[in-house]
Amino acid sequence: MRASLASSIAVTCAAALALPVSLAAPAAAVPSALGLPQAVSALPSTTPAEPQPLSAPPPTAPHTTGELPPTPPVAPQRLPELPPTSQAAPPAVSELPSTSDAAPQPLPELPSTSQAAPPAAGGPVGEQASTQPAGPQAAGALPPAPDLPGSTQSLPLGPLAGSTRGMGDGEADAGEQGLTRRDVRPFSLVGVVWDDPAAPLHGTVQVRTRATGGAGWSAWQDVETHNEEHGADPDTAEGTTRTLRGSTAPLWVGDSDGVEIRVHGEEPLPTGLRLELVDPGEDPAPEAPAAGAPRNRTAAAPVAPATPTTPGLPAVLAGLSAAEAAASGVNSQLAAFGATWIPALSKEETELTIRQAPPRTVAHAPVANAAAKPYIGPRPKIITRKGWGADERLREKGFVYTKTIKAAFVHHSATGNNYSCGQAPSVLRSIYRYHVKSSGWRDFGYNFAVDKCGNIYEGRAGGVAKPVLGAHTLGFNTNSMGIAVLGTYSRSAPPAATVTAIARLTAWKLGLHGVNPKGPAYLVSGGGNRYRKGTTVRFNAIAGHRDGFATECPGVRLYNKLPTTRTTSAKYQGRL
């Protein structure tokens, strides 16, 4: 292993030394369109109140699965805001050159890569062979290491005897499948998948679980079955060339080691039903635990990483893998390599970076060349993929971009509200693994996520300021972005901090592309159950998922907050 690591480092060093001069130059040598120039980075922030930081959760029971070695300790993780570093961020590290379905619009001084999703080949990597069936794995996916954190147990469902539902005759119901109570390895999120992604599951899915180390069982919980409206657009590489599966929405149940499930069909159930039990893996530990000490599987608050001590040392050698460096490099104009958050800027600081940007830096954004005050909101603090612990080896290589951003679609994750803000990174890691390993998507589906405390998270890799093509609103992923609010908001009202975070995020991101949050947006349907392919549809610039697809998402209580969100977002931009 040491020889292999040494070889990898040597290759990486050689690749870094071979970078063109334009990439090897310090980032501060060119004014940044989206992050502050070095001389401005010390300005104090005057943004509105920040979302609540991730709270430290109480200790939980030790996590042992028996199949994975412990995760190596990493640097301490905290959320408190730090002043932007005055040290120039290292240049971005791109992944393999590739092409995208839509013409990408990379920042000129930070060339990025885009890649159409390659066809699937073979089954998942890094899972237990005894419990994980053959499933989606892209040929271009990064090979997971043996110590891949997290795991998925995939259990086939079978007919349930009538006696399990109190019917008393002992006969199996052909319209009902499931599993009786059983002990399993620890998990925190559940979902159901099946073979044909186009086959809907008309019926109900209910699960109950037992907390790890406990004896009692939870009440039955409903799993949202209408999930087909999420995913890649038809006729795109991700939507056609991968081994996709039909799936329910995932449900967060917390640290559990027992499960029971029942699936009742109002129509014939789809074939190949399997229960997916996802363990998000241990959070990065602040320090190496003492021998025999339990490891905490809930969230740790992120902090800005240490920068390389050797001037000019490539960031990929500063504790980052090539995949981590690529995912971080596309944000290198906003934060240092390996940063666990992108710091907030005041509106004045954000406007200054736009005015000082080269004319072509922000494509399709007339505000970039405006001499007058630009209509762009203050950049909010965004927790990066590094910050919430995304394992970059799960996703496919490369990034796929659309042309611009015209609209933002708001979703709820339908994972339930039984999570603490300190657990939000674990929820994200679970959804990420469920999207990629269970459903067959190339990466996390949404571009951003927001938790109940108003913390904003980077979603799909490719750069938070760039038009990354997501898989969130089937038929309307092109030229849009998706924001998932963690939770279920059909009956529960979203917290005020969450609604404010959506307004701040859209004021900034839509502002980069010259979009008025209170204005209209016109998108062409890629196909769906509400608008046929090729139809030009008028949306609000901040729309709900249900506006583009016949679905309950984002829940009526969250959907009803969108008019207020549009007004607040426009105020942040300075339009009102």
Side-chain angles (χ1 to χ4, degrees), residues 430-452:
S430 298
I431 296 174
Y432 174 38
R433 175 172 278 274
Y434 185 74
H435 282 177
V436 176
K437 307 297 285 185
S438 299
S439 302
W441 301 357
R442 75 186 317 270
D443 193 357
F444 190 84
Y446 308 101
N447 299 102
F448 296 93
V450 179
D451 68 21
K452 63 174 65 174

Side-chain angles (χ1 to χ4, degrees), residues 27 30-37 109 332-334 352-354 356-358 361:
V30 180
S32 168
L34 308 169
L36 282 176
E109 69 271 27
S332 64
Q333 294 176 355
L334 316 181
L352 179 60
T353 64
I354 294 298
Q356 292 187 346
T361 297

Side-chain angles (χ1 to χ4, degrees), residues 193-195 270-274:
V193 300
W194 53 92
D195 295 338
T271 60
L273 289 173
R274 304 187 72 89

